[in-house]
Amino acid sequence: MSLLDRLTEEATRRISSETSRRSLLGLVGAALVGGVVYPLLPVARKSNNADVDNGTASDAPQLTSVNDPRSCDYWRYCAIDGWLCSCCGGSHKSCPPGTVPSPVTWVGTCLNPNDGKSYIISYNDCCGVQGCGRCSCHRNEGERPQYRPSLSNDINWCLGGEQLAYNCSTAVLIGEA
Amino acid sequence: MKNSPGAGVINWQNSKRQRGAFAGRIVEDAMNGLALLMLVIAATLGAVPSTAQTLEPEDLTVEVLPNDVSRDHWVWLTDYVLGLYGKAVLIDTDSGDVKGAVDTGWEPMKVEQSRKRSEIYAIRVFLERGFRGKRTDVFTVFDTNTLNPIADIEIPPKRLSGFGTMAHSGLTSDERFLLSYNFTPASSVAVINLESRAYIDEIEIAGCALIYPTGDRQFFSLCGDGSALVVNLNDQGGELSRVEAPDIFDPDVDPVFEKAVTGNGLWYFPSFSGDLYVVERKGDTVALKEIWSLLDKAAKEGLWKPGGFQPFAFHEGKGLLYILMHQGDEDTHKELGEEVWVYDVVEKKRVSKILLKVMAGSIEVSQDDAPVLYTAALFDPNLQIYDALSGSHRRTITEAAFTPTVIQSVRPLQ
């Protein structure tokens, strides 16, 4: 479960005990829409350990999910933050139609559990269309304030290109680490 | 086709006389209908109320906010609107009424408030075709009574895009200059003269970020190596000198939040682990004044940590620092908080805890003698209001914003 999901669930659970069903539905609706927003900002986050991104220690991914580009557990996504292009008309290595790859990117080093090797992954963003809003994958491990901009997920990294609007994120394999 | 009242499309720019004629026609028709209705009623009931009054025609007006009311408990709430085009909503938290809003552009940051003029300012970003096309950045002046934009000056398109914090822009103490953070990803600070409403220039701050004003002609930025870069300005808004203030903090050991608060000449930077770094001005530079822990033994054992989107607020008159707290492990610095801990920064001790009715990511406090605490969360459209001294929950303002981010107390004119 992503941090976003946990935050949303916690907030919803907390508020649900204090609000009517109707207002809760309004909140949940807002939370779902809000969920579209929070991971909008791609992160340049280092992979602190060269291990598969497990979400939480007690939430170990199954092998099927670590090989599923539509899952936040996909092994290449160990340092990603955003909406997965695989759910938005693209794939883990292609942008959706109509978008433009961002020239600014960041890399992570991820362990492929299938061959036991580590690979350098480039997290290019796809820009020029408003936020996709599907398959959010967001973590704050190693995230740092903006005085370390390459580690900050408060920055919209589409800003380096011709198109400012962020749509989704890819995970392109660069080579063996 | 040019619209005319007769075409059934109301042109509100028409003269009052034309509107009156149009309104008169509507009233005439309505009156004919009303007379017929009254006859039917009279025939049916055999009586007409002798005291019946004819309603007067109305002119549509536009509200103007008065100057002679207290705005002590008003806030500007930035609505990120799903990361699209946003706004700042003006809310009277005593009545719970939304008083109006100003458009603050693509991925809005925050507003800057003048205490000398009835003005607020925003650095706004627009894309030529809505979500695509040439980007234009503007410095906009809004009148705080009419909420109309009264000046809109194009500036280089370099403002940072992403989530806003209170450190993305600032005013010099004398309000001569507005400073706005650029990130392209080269970092610099744009300088705008508020008196002439003119863009001056940018000052590069490579390796450093954000803006913490420290007087009429000085600001500093935090740098990735834990130092601060201090820039001193001349009277024209250009760079007079720069000084590196080393060893403010160690970002590899215990990063400080960049979401600092200020008051009484000091800047307060809580760290991820719960220490408070206090930075003061020293002539043409700044220095670390002191570090003290916000957490006692029990708090540390309970894994209490500061965190959130806008997790700190400061009441300058009472010297009270408000910190949003949660329980969590490392890297939980953006978790929602469930309590606000209140510290006396002179006594360097916690004086109270406020248990929040609803978990929050952003907090702010009013600056009057009977302060209120405002809280909001990114996913929650409601704004919560608490008594900032007793901690009691006062009210929930529903549907305050689609995506609440930065909360700013309205600062009264001096």
Side-chain angles (χ1 to χ4, degrees):
Chain A
M1 180 184 290
S2 71
L3 173 64
L4 169 69
D5 295 333
R6 280 185 280 128
L7 287 176
T8 306
E9 179 183 286
E10 288 168 11
T12 305
R13 185 190 306 128
R14 174 70 173 260
I15 298 165
S16 65
S17 64
E18 298 156 350
T19 53
S20 68
R21 178 177 174 82
R22 179 172 177 175
S23 60
L24 175 64
L25 289 174
L27 173 68
V28 171
L32 291 172
V33 178
V36 174
V37 177
Y38 196 63
L40 180 149
L41 308 168
V43 63
R45 186 184 60 220
K46 66 183 177 183
S47 177
N48 282 333
N49 56 51
D51 200 352
V52 178
D53 198 4
N54 286 348
T56 64
S58 60
D59 188 22
Q62 302 300 309
L63 193 58
T64 51
S65 61
V66 300
N67 285 316
D68 179 3
R70 292 185 176 223
S71 167
C72 194
D73 295 329
Y74 184 44
W75 69 270
R76 295 191 188 194
Y77 296 155
C78 73
I80 205 170
D81 183 2
W83 293 308
L84 303 180
C85 288
S86 300
C87 304
C88 305
S91 72
H92 56 291
K93 56 181 181 182
S94 66
C95 285
T99 63
V100 181
S102 71
V104 181
T105 184
W106 66 98
V107 297
T109 301
C110 302
L111 176 68
N112 180 356
N114 301 296
D115 62 10
K117 296 178 181 177
S118 292
Y119 293 89
I120 297 172
I121 306 298
S122 175
Y123 297 110
N124 293 78
D125 294 325
C126 304
C127 311
V129 173
Q130 62 181 291
C132 163
R134 304 192 74 219
C135 297
S136 67
C137 188
H138 174 77
R139 301 269 293 276
N140 279 319
E141 287 95 349
E143 200 272 351
R144 292 295 179 263
Q146 291 182 39
Y147 51 72
R148 290 271 177 94
S150 62
L151 303 177
S152 174
N153 67 4
D154 283 342
I155 297 170
N156 174 2
W157 287 96
C158 285
L159 58 75
E162 295 274 318
Q163 301 295 339
L164 187 59
Y166 167 77
N167 181 248
C168 61
S169 296
T170 62
V172 181
L173 194 149
I174 300 299
E176 191 172 349
Chain B
M1 183 182 76
K2 187 175 181 179
N3 293 334
S4 67
V9 178
I10 300 174
N11 181 347
W12 297 109
Q13 300 305 314
N14 285 347
S15 69
K16 185 176 179 181
R17 181 167 167 270
Q18 286 174 303
R19 293 202 309 273
F22 178 48
R25 202 169 306 152
I26 294 175
V27 171
E28 189 177 347
D29 291 344
M31 288 301 291
N32 289 337
L34 183 62
L36 180 62
L37 179 64
M38 294 298 282
L39 284 174
V40 171
I41 293 173
T44 304
L45 302 178
V48 175
S50 60
T51 58
Q53 297 290 315
T54 301
L55 297 177
E56 295 296 319
E58 298 168 336
D59 282 332
L60 179 63
T61 62
V62 177
E63 297 285 348
V64 175
L65 298 170
N67 267 330
D68 57 351
V69 298
S70 168
R71 300 190 183 192
D72 285 347
H73 292 172
W74 290 25
V75 294
W76 287 105
L77 176 62
T78 290
D79 188 346
Y80 202 61
V81 189
L82 316 182
L84 306 176
Y85 288 92
K87 60 186 185 289
V89 186
L90 184 60
I91 301 172
D92 176 353
T93 67
D94 283 335
S95 69
D97 294 333
V98 169
K99 308 302 288 187
V102 297
D103 286 308
T104 44
W106 179 266
E107 292 182 352
M109 297 276 129
K110 57 178 286 205
V111 297
E112 290 294 338
Q113 303 180 62
S114 174
R115 303 194 68 181
K116 290 182 172 179
R117 301 172 279 264
S118 297
E119 299 173 349
I120 62 167
Y121 315 102
I123 305 298
R124 307 194 295 170
V125 173
F126 296 96
L127 304 178
E128 193 172 32
R129 292 291 182 266
F131 305 103
R132 290 179 82 99
K134 180 176 177 287
R135 167 182 172 172
T136 302
D137 289 17
V138 294
F139 154 67
T140 304
V141 182
F142 293 96
D143 182 289
T144 55
N145 295 116
T146 66
L147 302 191
N148 281 327
I150 53 177
D152 211 37
I153 293 97
E154 188 168 344
I155 63 174
K158 296 184 175 181
R159 196 209 69 181
L160 178 132
S161 297
F163 278 136
T165 75
M166 294 296 283
H168 279 105
S169 57
L171 303 181
T172 56
S173 299
D174 63 355
E175 295 189 9
R176 185 167 197 177
F177 300 113
L178 183 150
L179 310 168
S180 176
Y181 180 55
N182 292 334
F183 187 79
T184 63
S187 54
S188 65
V189 172
V191 182
I192 293 162
N193 187 319
L194 292 178
E195 295 165 357
S196 60
R197 293 178 180 169
Y199 173 77
I200 304 299
D201 204 349
E202 64 179 308
I203 298 171
E204 66 85 10
I205 55 168
C208 307
L210 304 170
I211 297 160
Y212 305 92
T214 41
D216 289 347
R217 298 289 177 268
Q218 188 187 80
F219 70 89
F220 70 92
S221 300
L222 290 184
C223 308
D225 63 358
S227 66
L229 173 64
V230 186
V231 176
N232 295 286
L233 303 171
N234 59 32
D235 286 342
Q236 288 71 49
E239 177 179 334
L240 181 65
S241 66
R242 62 175 57 207
V243 180
E244 181 187 349
D247 302 327
I248 301 294
F249 66 104
D250 187 338
D252 294 318
V253 175
D254 188 17
V256 297
F257 287 89
E258 79 275 50
K259 301 157 180 172
V261 290
T262 188
N264 302 320
L266 300 173
W267 277 96
Y268 298 94
F269 293 88
S271 72
F272 282 18
S273 73
D275 284 339
L276 183 65
Y277 289 65
V278 185
V279 175
E280 64 179 344
R281 179 173 179 169
K282 291 277 192 182
D284 65 351
T285 188
V286 299
L288 182 63
K289 180 174 186 287
E290 58 191 359
I291 304 172
W292 52 277
S293 178
L294 297 163
L295 307 177
D296 58 18
K297 186 167 179 284
K300 288 179 179 174
E301 289 175 354
L303 296 178
W304 284 97
K305 289 181 175 62
F309 183 89
Q310 183 188 352
F312 315 118
F314 190 73
H315 190 289
E316 192 165 26
K318 296 182 183 298
L320 295 177
L321 177 62
Y322 291 75
I323 300 189
L324 190 56
M325 301 293 292
H326 67 279
Q327 291 175 286
D329 294 320
E330 188 180 355
D331 290 331
T332 59
H333 51 283
K334 291 183 179 175
E335 292 275 358
L336 298 180
E338 54 194 304
E339 297 185 4
V340 171
W341 293 6
V342 188
Y343 293 84
D344 183 320
V345 296
V346 175
E347 299 294 328
K348 298 178 188 172
K349 68 175 186 181
R350 190 179 66 210
V351 294
S352 66
K353 288 183 184 180
I354 297 174
L355 306 183
L356 299 182
K357 181 179 172 68
V358 178
M359 294 177 77
S362 300
I363 64 171
E364 168 70 315
V365 67
S366 70
Q367 297 296 312
D368 59 315
D369 288 336
V372 291
L373 177 75
Y374 315 106
T375 76
L378 197 61
F379 310 119
D380 182 349
N382 301 334
L383 182 69
Q384 306 294 337
I385 315 297
Y386 300 83
D387 185 307
L389 300 181
S390 73
S392 63
H393 183 257
R394 283 193 175 180
R395 71 164 64 236
T396 298
I397 298 173
T398 58
E399 300 177 297
F402 290 110
T403 316
T405 54
V406 175
I407 311 170
Q408 296 174 263
S409 291
V410 168
R411 308 305 297 266
L413 294 174
Q414 290 180 325

